[in-house]
């Protein structure tokens, strides 16, 4: 591991802060596999924020061996072309029980993420990629938000619209409501939220390399509301929002009946779908590409990505975790971070 040559531009490749995720899940194993894979470093380089013992444990499970240079400050990472470790002290071995969500694991993940958020605010890193979290553990550990996106937005002082995107390959989904009870979903179907979701979808896809994103907006009711005879949301709310987005120059269409829309997306007619509630898009995209999927936290000033699957407590510590979604998440964080730098 050699320091970067002072005569070279240390910021050609974006620097991404890496977090192991929930210590009791498959995150440590996945990050160990990611950083040991030379292909992962082609898009950017990484600073791992982790407890040293947990990093070593992840490598043991993954069957990898990578001795990372240790740094004390994020800014030092720019002196290297290879991954580096910034050690923290967030959880003990005795507090970690594989396959079990607990407060200690939630606090550990939140502490590591906070270090990266602070570094992003200072401009020391260009993006963040984290191993899978468990929302219940995060809440036990003191996260007072419905999900990590709410935590990120609050910590970064973002008051505008934010949204989780799920993507694999060239297919993206966004949603106007996320981790809420389904009974509350109708109240989120508003013209303003749909319009903001369409705008953010267009902006985020452009950062990811789409020159002219084609966005479809899903209907809320069965069969698209059947011209108002099976619900009025499409007529009164969704269609006017789509028209306004079109007037702004966005390539948007809809509302499209959700039960057939994803067939058209799969066949390449659209790049992204704005869905009306969590499972409307999640079921479709996980069926189409579960072993490839990435979650992007949209609307934040810094790109933040993670594999779209969960902590997989049932296979934690087994060495069986599939690297592909984590590799895709890191690559996408690098791509969006590089686009951010070019546009700033």
């Amino acid at each position: 591991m050699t320091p970067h040559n002072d005569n070279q531009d240390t910021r050609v490749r974006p620097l991404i802060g890496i977090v192991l995720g929930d210590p009791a899940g498959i995150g440590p194993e996945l990050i160990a596999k990611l950083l040991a894979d030379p292909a992962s470093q082609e898009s950017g380089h990484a600073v791992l924020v982790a407890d040293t013992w947990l990093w070593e444990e992840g490598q043991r499970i993954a069957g990898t061996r990578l001795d990372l240079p240790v740094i004390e400050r994020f800014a030092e990472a720019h002196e290297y072309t290879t991954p580096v470790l910034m050690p923290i002290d967030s959880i003990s071995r005795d507090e970690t029980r594989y396959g079990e969500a607990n407060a200690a694991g939630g606090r550990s993940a939140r502490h590591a993420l906070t270090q990266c958020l602070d570094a992003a605010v200072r401009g020391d890193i260009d993006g963040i990629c984290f191993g899978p979290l468990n929302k219940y553990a995060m809440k036990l550990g003191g996260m007072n938000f419905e999900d990590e996106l709410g935590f990120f937005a609050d910590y970064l002082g973002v008051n505008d619209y934010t949204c989780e995107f799920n993507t694999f390959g060239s297919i993206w989904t966004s949603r106007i409501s996320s981790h809420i009870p389904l009974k509350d979903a109708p109240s989120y179907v508003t013209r303003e939220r749909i319009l903001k979701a369409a705008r953010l979808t267009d902006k985020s896809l452009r950062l990811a390399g789409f020159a002219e994103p084609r966005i479809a907006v899903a209907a809320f009711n069965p069969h698209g509301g059947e011209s108002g005879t099976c619900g009025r949301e499409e007529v009164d709310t969704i269609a006017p929002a789509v028209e306004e987005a079109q007037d702004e120059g966005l390539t948007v269409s809809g509302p499209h009946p959700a039960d057939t829309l994803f067939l058209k997306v799969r066949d390449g007619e659209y790049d992204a779908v704005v869905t009306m509630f969590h499972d409307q898009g999640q079921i479709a995209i996980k069926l189409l590409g579960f072993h490839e999927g990435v979650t992007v936290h949209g609307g934040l000033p810094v790109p933040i990505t993670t594999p779209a699957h969960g902590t997989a407590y049932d296979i934690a510590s087994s060495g069986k975790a599939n690297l592909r979604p984590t590799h895709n998440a890191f690559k996408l964080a690098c791509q969006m971070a590089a686009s951010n730098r070019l546009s700033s």
Side-chain angles (χ1 to χ4, degrees), residues 41-65:
Q41 301 307 309
E42 294 175 0
S43 302
H45 65 297
V47 52
L48 173 64
V49 181
D51 294 70
T52 301
W53 77 266
L54 190 56
W55 162 239
E56 296 292 339
E57 179 69 359
Q59 292 197 89
R60 182 192 67 78
I61 296 168
T64 60
R65 182 70 253 171

Side-chain angles (χ1 to χ4, degrees), residues 51 53 89-97 104:
D51 294 70
W53 77 266
D89 183 13
S90 71
I91 191 170
S92 70
R93 191 182 296 268
D94 292 341
E95 292 175 301
T96 304
R97 293 180 289 277

Side-chain angles (χ1 to χ4, degrees), residues 65-335:
R65 182 70 253 171
L66 190 63
D67 294 320
L68 300 183
V70 176
I71 61 172
E72 296 182 357
R73 297 181 300 110
F74 279 93
E76 297 173 31
H78 301 295
E79 300 173 9
Y80 296 84
T81 58
T82 54
V84 296
L85 170 65
M86 195 172 89
I88 57 173
D89 183 13
S90 71
I91 191 170
S92 70
R93 191 182 296 268
D94 292 341
E95 292 175 301
T96 304
R97 293 180 289 277
Y98 289 116
E100 180 181 320
N102 64 21
R107 284 193 299 269
S108 171
R110 187 158 59 96
H111 178 70
L113 286 167
T114 298
Q115 302 304 304
C116 287
L117 291 170
D118 287 339
V121 169
R122 293 192 303 267
D124 289 337
I125 59 175
D126 303 304
I128 300 169
C129 179
F130 61 89
L133 306 175
N134 181 278
K135 291 177 178 58
Y136 177 60
M138 294 286 285
K139 291 173 183 177
L140 288 175
M143 183 182 78
N144 298 316
F145 300 91
E146 64 185 27
D147 54 29
E148 61 270 26
L149 177 56
F151 164 62
F152 296 151
D154 178 76
Y155 198 90
L156 294 171
V158 175
N159 297 313
D160 204 352
Y161 184 80
T162 58
C163 171
E164 271 192 7
F165 294 96
N166 285 95
T167 175
F168 71 95
S170 60
I171 298 176
W172 287 57
T173 63
S174 65
R175 48 188 183 258
I176 62 169
S177 64
S178 193
H179 301 105
I180 61 169
L182 189 56
K183 67 180 178 61
D184 296 334
S187 66
Y188 284 75
V189 183
T190 67
R191 185 168 174 171
E192 180 182 24
R193 291 186 69 84
I194 295 167
L195 189 57
K196 287 183 175 181
R199 290 169 180 155
L200 182 56
T201 300
D202 181 82
K203 178 181 178 181
S204 298
L205 265 69
R206 289 179 186 275
L207 282 177
F210 291 77
E212 189 66 38
R214 301 165 299 165
I215 303 168
V217 178
F220 180 69
N221 293 297
H223 307 297
E226 297 181 350
S227 300
T229 63
C230 185
R232 295 284 307 176
E233 284 83 0
E234 289 74 21
V235 175
D236 297 337
T237 305
I238 303 174
V242 169
E243 291 175 7
E244 189 170 348
Q246 292 170 342
D247 290 342
E248 293 182 4
L250 303 184
T251 305
V252 181
S253 63
H256 299 277
D259 59 350
T260 55
L261 174 56
F262 279 90
L263 296 174
K264 298 178 180 180
V265 176
R266 180 199 63 188
D267 294 341
E269 291 188 36
Y270 303 103
D271 303 309
V273 180
V274 175
T275 63
M276 297 296 108
F277 53 91
H278 184 278
D279 283 2
Q280 189 180 56
Q282 286 290 81
I283 292 172
I285 202 165
K286 289 192 175 182
L287 181 63
L288 289 170
F290 181 76
H291 297 295
E292 297 282 333
V294 176
T295 297
V296 180
H297 294 81
L300 305 175
V302 57
I304 302 180
T305 67
T306 187
H309 57 70
T311 48
Y313 285 148
D314 57 323
I315 62 168
S317 80
S318 70
K320 298 177 181 179
N322 176 14
L323 174 62
R324 192 65 189 173
T326 302
H327 174 83
N328 292 343
F330 179 75
K331 184 176 180 180
L332 186 54
C334 293
Q335 184 173 5

